[in-house]
């Protein structure tokens, strides 16, 4: 079946982040609400304009209800979808369809977590299934380690290649005032870092930060008259191939291959048209797998691609230009932050602003490389 | 009896069961219907032999020893997570031949593997 999608008919009209890094004293609800208020104001709208809520909180399985109550929203539609860190790209796909259909007029998509200030551990109630649990893999880290180990075995990817991802992320973070992890990071430090679950060391893991993000989506016809440049959504696709990593047919290939191809087909672009990619880098291996699966380099070449400097400042494909989950922020689910960085690049407002960004891709990942969702954003020039 | 209960009952008796889908593919974990088609599934006893597909050693605070998890490809085609007993980081490798056994020392019977010589 061929996808149908209302290419560029809907757009991001407002966006905001709040409390990235450490925000002691704030609850997850408060962080998220602040980001939401800022995003609505950024669009030049008011809360009364919001008639649909899409939210996925780390610790509140009824977030759609409690968050609506907190802000006094009475959404005509509430979506509490949980596909891990990819949930927000899926929210965008649904919001676009509903906006196009006239079912809703203005969607708020929000996320926030105080997981760093509130204990400093990944805030999730999700864990291994009953078949994997007796062997005690660290959830979700070991799932990624199993994929990385096989990628190394099959394609000769090295720990230096993994480190190149962390180093590129840090290089971008250095010049992003919002990024949490700055300061020098060397290849030697990456290679000598404490090993957690081979071949994933502490330097291969994303940050544990606080932070919130929100976007407002409406029809492009309306967004272009609002306060900020509209960022049209050209394509959005999700794909789920498994939950447990043990059920992957090939742990070196993720459903990003499908979600990316479908989103790009909807958008009418190919990888070479994409000026910058924001990839959900929960672990260094993610970036390598997604670069391959999204078609930015051939399968198996991701390690050599990143080691060539391609994704770092000055490279041919700027990736995670905010510093990513590895050095900017990772409050449990990173997806919406990737979307916002892509949108900021198109609006010309990114901390590390690139020249001529008309098409940007944001890719989300959930579970243990389980759920994949891709969005392609464009400028009004791409309409 | 549910498929999962049937599988666990067999494991307690020392038998590793898999299911076979109408297209001939082996299915694990046990379930009610063939994934993808919803077709009927047939139980069969697996050889227990397989090969390490990928692995990860998990470090703990010393003096606790590291432990590992591995994904095992059974010869019949199914893949599952387990552990290989009697190995070290130096000896356990992707591609290693292994065979299943059931460990009864814990709270519940546990499927484990041990290395075997390449046939």
């Amino acid at each position: 079946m061929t996808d149908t999608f209302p290419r560029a008919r809907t757009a991001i009209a407002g966006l905001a982040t709040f409390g990235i890094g450490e925000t002691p004293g704030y609850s997850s609800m408060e962080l998220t609400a602040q980001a939401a208020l800022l995003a609505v104001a950024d669009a030049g709208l008011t809360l009364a304009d919001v008639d649909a809520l899409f939210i996925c909180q780390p610790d509140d399985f009824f977030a759609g209800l409690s968050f609506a109550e907190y802000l006094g929203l009475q959404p005509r539609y509430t979506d509490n979808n949980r596909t891990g860190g990819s949930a927000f790209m899926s929210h965008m796909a649904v919001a676009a369809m509903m906006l196009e259909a006239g079912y809703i007029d203005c969607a708020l998509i929000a996320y926030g977590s105080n997981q760093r200030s509130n204990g400093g551990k990944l805030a999730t109630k999700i864990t291994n299934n009953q078949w994997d649990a007796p062997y005690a893999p660290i959830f979700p880290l070991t799932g990624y380690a199993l994929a990385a180990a096989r990628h190394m075995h099959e394609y000769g990817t090295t720990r230096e290649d993994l480190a190149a991802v962390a180093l590129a992320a840090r290089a971008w973070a250095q010049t992003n005032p919002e990024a949490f992890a700055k300061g020098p990071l060397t290849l030697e430090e990456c290679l000598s870092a404490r090993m957690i679950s081979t071949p994933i060391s502490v330097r291969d893991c994303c940050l544990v930060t606080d932070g919130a993000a929100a976007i407002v989506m409406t029809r492009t016809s309306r967004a272009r008259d609002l306060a900020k440049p509209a960022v049209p959504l050209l394509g959005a696709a999700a794909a789920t191939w498994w939950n447990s990593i043990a059920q992957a047919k090939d742990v070196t290939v993720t459903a990003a291959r499908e979600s990316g191809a479908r989103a790009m087909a909807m958008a009418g672009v190919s990888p070479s048209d994409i000026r910058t990619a924001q990839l959900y880098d929960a672990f260094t291996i993610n970036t390598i797998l997604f670069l391959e699966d999204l078609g930015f380099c051939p399968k198996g070449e991701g390690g050599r691609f990143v080691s060539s400097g391609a994704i770092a400042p000055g490279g041919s494909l700027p990736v995670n230009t905010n510093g990513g989950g590895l050095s900017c922020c990772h409050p449990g689910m990173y997806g919406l932050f990737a979307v916002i960085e892509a949108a900021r690049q198109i609006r010309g407002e990114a901390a590390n602003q690139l020249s001529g960004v008309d098409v940007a891709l944001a890719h989300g990942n959930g579970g243990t490389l389980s759920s994949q969702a891709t969005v392609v954003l464009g400028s009004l020039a791409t309409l | 009896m549910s498929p999962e209960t049937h599988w666990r009952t067999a494991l307690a008796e020392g038998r590793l069961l898999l299911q076979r889908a109408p297209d001939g593919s082996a299915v694990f974990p046990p379930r009610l219907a063939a994934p993808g088609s919803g077709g009927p599934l047939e139980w069969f006893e697996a050889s227990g032999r397989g090969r390490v597909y990928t692995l990860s050693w998990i470090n703990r605070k010393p003096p606790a020893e590291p432990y590992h998890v591995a994904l095992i490809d059974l010869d019949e085609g199914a893949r599952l997570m387990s552990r290989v007993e009697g190995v070290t980081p130096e000896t356990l490798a992707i591609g290693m031949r292994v065979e299943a056994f059931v460990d009864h020392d814990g709270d519940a019977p546990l499927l484990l593997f041990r290395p075997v010589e390449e046939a």
Side-chain angles (χ1 to χ4, degrees):
Chain A
M1 183 184 145
T2 311
D3 287 299
T4 57
F5 190 79
R7 181 189 186 276
R9 300 273 301 169
T10 67
I12 296 174
L15 58 82
T17 54
F18 177 73
I20 282 182
E22 281 178 323
T23 322
Y26 278 80
S27 68
S28 293
M29 179 82 86
E30 290 168 335
L31 289 171
T32 312
Q34 189 62 69
L37 291 167
L38 290 168
V40 171
D42 181 63
L45 294 169
T46 68
L47 272 189
D49 292 306
V50 174
D51 66 356
L53 173 63
F54 298 78
I55 190 162
C56 174
Q57 291 289 88
D59 52 358
D60 181 356
F61 281 40
F62 264 4
L65 315 184
S66 50
F67 190 77
E69 175 193 288
Y70 187 90
L71 280 185
L73 303 172
Q74 294 188 330
R76 292 148 57 85
Y77 181 77
T78 302
D79 186 332
N80 224 161
N81 168 29
R82 305 192 73 86
T83 54
S86 64
F88 314 97
M89 286 74 168
S90 293
H91 290 161
M92 292 175 73
V94 177
M97 302 295 182
M98 299 185 95
L99 286 164
E100 170 71 1
Y103 193 90
I104 61 172
D105 290 322
C106 179
L108 171 64
I109 304 176
Y111 174 79
S113 166
N114 69 346
Q115 63 169 14
R116 183 177 185 87
S117 297
N118 186 28
K121 277 173 133 169
L122 175 66
T124 179
K125 295 188 168 85
I126 316 294
T127 186
N128 296 299
N129 71 23
Q130 73 270 35
W131 306 101
D132 300 347
Y135 308 103
I138 301 171
F139 186 88
L141 190 151
T142 299
Y144 294 84
L146 290 165
R150 183 70 198 185
H151 201 275
M152 289 171 142
H153 174 80
E154 222 165 299
Y155 298 113
T157 306
T158 64
R159 286 201 59 221
E160 286 81 354
D161 295 333
L162 297 179
V165 176
L167 293 171
R170 181 59 59 90
W172 288 112
Q174 305 290 19
T175 46
N176 178 8
E178 201 173 28
F180 181 67
K182 290 194 249 215
L185 179 66
T186 66
L187 177 61
E188 183 46 43
E189 280 175 86
C190 292
L191 296 179
S192 62
R194 180 170 59 86
M195 187 58 74
I196 301 175
S197 185
T198 59
I200 301 291
S201 80
V202 67
R203 288 290 175 204
D204 294 299
C205 300
C206 63
L207 303 168
V208 175
T209 68
D210 301 332
I215 63 172
V216 174
M217 283 180 65
T218 188
R219 284 180 283 281
T220 303
S221 56
R222 182 185 188 195
R224 60 196 314 161
D225 296 330
L226 293 176
K228 290 289 177 69
V231 181
L233 178 58
L234 306 183
T240 306
W241 285 359
W242 66 76
N243 183 10
S244 165
I245 195 78
Q247 296 304 308
K249 282 197 172 60
D250 178 344
V251 294
T252 69
V253 181
T254 73
R257 179 171 281 187
E258 181 196 329
S259 68
R262 285 172 42 215
M264 284 185 249
M266 293 167 187
V269 303
S270 60
S272 60
D273 298 316
I274 290 161
R275 175 77 174 93
T276 177
Q278 311 301 328
L279 310 178
Y280 195 115
D281 55 342
F283 300 93
T284 50
I285 186 65
N286 293 38
T287 304
I288 290 172
L289 292 175
F290 298 151
L291 285 166
E292 296 171 349
D293 293 341
L294 295 169
F296 293 110
C297 66
K299 180 51 68 182
E301 290 300 314
R304 285 170 283 279
F305 186 74
V306 297
S307 281
S308 75
I311 67 169
S316 57
L317 178 71
V319 169
N320 296 345
T321 48
N322 57 352
L326 290 164
S327 273
C328 179
C329 69
H330 201 301
M333 287 183 269
Y334 176 72
L336 198 50
F337 299 86
V339 170
I340 286 179
E341 177 63 12
R344 281 177 172 160
Q345 286 288 356
I346 286 172
R347 282 177 24 165
E349 294 176 352
N352 295 308
Q353 185 60 48
L354 304 164
S355 63
V357 182
D358 281 322
V359 184
L361 177 147
H363 180 77
N365 161 76
T368 47
L369 293 166
S370 315
S371 170
Q372 304 298 322
T374 312
V375 297
V376 180
L377 303 176
S379 68
L380 287 171
T382 58
L383 302 195
Chain B
M1 195 184 290
S2 82
E4 181 168 348
T5 304
H6 183 72
W7 187 87
R8 293 193 185 284
T9 303
L11 191 74
E13 296 164 357
R15 297 186 300 137
L16 171 56
L17 296 187
L18 295 176
Q19 292 166 300
R20 201 184 314 277
D23 68 0
S25 61
V27 173
F28 182 89
R31 62 198 81 189
L32 284 162
S37 70
L41 289 167
E42 278 180 18
W43 290 104
F44 69 101
E45 190 158 339
S47 66
R49 285 188 289 277
R51 201 176 283 283
V52 175
Y53 172 64
T54 186
L55 64 96
S56 180
W57 285 89
I58 296 160
N59 287 326
R60 293 180 290 178
K61 210 173 275 181
E65 295 287 316
Y67 67 96
H68 74 274
V69 300
L71 299 187
I72 308 293
D73 280 345
L74 296 172
D75 287 355
E76 290 81 5
R79 177 173 297 160
L80 45 78
M81 185 176 287
S82 187
R83 186 170 74 229
V84 184
E85 291 289 88
V87 296
T88 68
E90 288 69 39
T91 61
L92 181 64
I94 290 175
M96 177 183 272
R97 289 290 290 167
V98 293
E99 70 177 7
F101 69 98
V102 180
D103 174 48
H104 293 280
D105 292 342
D107 297 338
L110 184 63
L111 180 66
L112 296 175
F113 288 79
R114 58 184 153 232
V116 289
E117 291 297 313
E118 191 77 31

